[in-house]
Amino acid sequence: MIYLLRWSVFLWIVNSVPFTSGMTVTERIDHACPSIKLEEKWYTSLSIHKEFTGFDLAEKFLLRKGTVTENRPLFRLGSKPLYKPTELVFPNGLSHEFSIIATFRLRKNMKRDRWFVVQVFDKNGDSQVSLIVDGAKKSVEFLAQGILNNSLLYVFKNRDLQALFDRQFHKLGVSVESNAVSVYLDCKLIERQVTAERAGLNLSGRIFIITRVDNVLPVDIELQEILMLCDARIAELDRCCDSPEVTCEPIVTHKPTAAPLITGYFHRMLSLPAQQPTDRCHCPALKVK
C-alpha cells in the first residue's frame, strides 16, 4: 500500500505540468548538441583532442555549489524533487549515442538505497532512459525504451562495481551506443552488454536527476558533477585526469615527418652485389625409355 501511494505521488509529479509537444528528436530539423564548457582538466583527460558537446545537468538544474571537498565544490541538492521538462534541458534533442558521467560519493545511509542518476520519462510517465544505482544489489542498471515501446533493461553486477559503494569519491561512466551499453568505474571498463534497438527520445516528458526510486526526493550523496555528453566514446576515452589523485601529461600531437629514402639496414641491403636467382625446385630426373 505504501509503495502504491508513493508511486501515485510520483506519477502526479510527472504529469502535474502540461506537456508542450509530442515531437521526438528524429522529427526535429536541428538536433545537434551544443558546445559545453568543462573543467580545465577535462581537456587533458581524453586520449584524443576533442571539442566537447553535451549538457551539464548540474548547470541545467541550477544546482548551487556548496562545500569544497578534494579541491572541487559539491552541489547542493536540496529537499525538493529535481525535475524539469525534457525540452528545457535538451532544447534541440539528445544524440542517439551519448555518455553519462557522474562523480559522487555515497553517504553511510545511502549504501543500500536504490536511486536514479538520470531518469527521462515520456508524457505518459513511461521511462525512456534511466540509469539506476542499487546499493542493496551492488549493481548498476540501464533501462531504455525499445522501438516497439518495450522496456529494455540491462543489469551490471560485476564484482569490480562494489567499490562504488565504499563511501569514497568515484566516477561512474556509461557509454550508450546504438547497439551496446558499457559501464566504467574510475575510467576502467567494468562490463559491456549488447543491446536491442532503442527508440528515439521523446522530448514531451520530464527528466529527473539524483532521485530516490521510492519517493522521488533528492538522494543524500556528495555530488561533484553530472554530465550527458553527446559522444558514446567519452566514457571509454576518459583518463580521469580531473580526479585529485590522478596526474595526466598533456596530450601532444606530433606532425608526421617524411621518412628518409634509404637508411640503416635497408641501405646495406641495396649495397650488396646482385645475386642470380637459383632454381629451388628439386624435381626428380625423368627416365626416358
Side-chain angles (χ1 to χ4, degrees):
M1 178 64 72
I2 295 177
Y3 178 81
L4 292 177
L5 178 61
R6 288 172 174 172
W7 184 247
S8 299
V9 172
F10 181 65
L11 291 179
W12 178 81
I13 292 175
V14 173
N15 295 290
S16 59
V17 182
F19 293 93
T20 56
S21 70
M23 189 174 292
T24 63
V25 172
T26 53
E27 293 168 343
R28 290 180 175 271
I29 296 175
D30 176 18
H31 56 270
C33 292
S35 298
I36 182 174
K37 293 182 179 179
L38 299 176
E39 294 181 18
E40 185 64 28
K41 283 190 176 182
W42 261 101
Y43 292 88
T44 59
S45 189
L46 295 191
S47 56
I48 60 172
H49 286 288
K50 182 173 178 60
E51 293 296 324
F52 294 98
T53 60
F55 307 89
D56 185 336
L57 297 187
E59 182 180 283
K60 287 287 186 178
F61 279 77
L62 303 178
L63 297 182
R64 293 184 300 167
K65 294 180 179 180
T67 307
V68 176
T69 303
E70 298 187 4
N71 298 321
R72 297 182 65 180
L74 303 177
F75 288 104
R76 297 176 180 177
L77 301 179
S79 58
K80 297 181 180 179
L82 296 172
Y83 74 96
K84 282 184 175 293
T86 308
E87 200 165 33
L88 293 183
V89 178
F90 310 131
N92 295 312
L94 176 70
S95 60
H96 194 62
E97 295 191 345
F98 55 91
S99 293
I100 302 174
I101 307 289
T103 303
F104 56 88
R105 176 166 63 185
L106 296 176
R107 296 186 188 273
K108 185 177 180 179
N109 60 333
M110 283 298 304
K111 288 183 64 176
R112 298 187 61 81
D113 282 18
R114 179 177 168 86
W115 53 282
F116 297 112
V117 178
V118 175
Q119 173 87 323
V120 184
F121 289 98
D122 63 16
K123 64 180 180 180
N124 298 318
D126 295 325
S127 181
Q128 298 185 87
V129 173
S130 300
L131 179 60
I132 304 168
V133 174
D134 193 321
K137 297 180 180 178
K138 300 292 186 293
S139 65
V140 171
E141 301 174 12
F142 179 79
L143 187 146
Q145 193 173 62
I147 57 175
L148 300 178
N149 290 328
N150 55 320
S151 294
L152 307 174
L153 176 62
Y154 304 94
V155 180
F156 300 83
K157 200 177 179 182
N158 191 290
R159 179 178 297 180
D160 292 337
L161 268 179
Q162 294 184 9
L164 183 63
F165 305 92
D166 64 6
R167 297 175 58 197
Q168 301 298 319
F169 277 105
H170 294 286
K171 177 182 284 190
L172 177 64
V174 179
S175 169
V176 183
E177 302 172 82
S178 60
N179 60 350
V181 174
S182 304
V183 170
Y184 296 80
L185 184 62
D186 298 329
C187 301
K188 296 180 181 179
L189 176 63
I190 301 299
E191 188 178 347
R192 184 176 188 269
Q193 295 189 25
V194 176
T195 64
E197 189 173 354
R198 292 178 288 112
L201 189 67
N202 189 296
L203 301 180
S204 61
R206 298 287 178 267
I207 174 173
F208 288 73
I209 63 169
I210 317 299
T211 302
R212 296 177 185 269
V213 171
D214 59 353
N215 60 13
V216 300
L217 294 179
V219 177
D220 186 20
I221 65 171
E222 295 180 338
L223 178 68
Q224 289 185 338
E225 67 179 348
I226 176 168
L227 309 167
M228 292 187 73
L229 301 173
C230 296
D231 189 336
R233 299 176 300 164
I234 299 297
E236 174 189 354
L237 298 174
D238 189 4
R239 300 186 295 164
C240 281
C241 298
D242 52 333
S243 300
E245 66 279 4
V246 176
T247 301
C248 295
E249 295 295 329
I251 299 170
V252 179
T253 303
H254 297 284
K255 294 182 179 180
T257 56
L261 294 178
I262 301 175
T263 58
Y265 179 75
F266 187 48
H267 174 76
R268 293 194 300 273
M269 287 291 292
L270 292 181
S271 64
L272 293 176
Q275 296 182 357
Q276 295 297 323
T278 58
D279 185 3
R280 295 185 180 180
C281 179
H282 302 286
C283 301
L286 296 178
K287 293 183 181 180
V288 181
K289 297 182 179 178

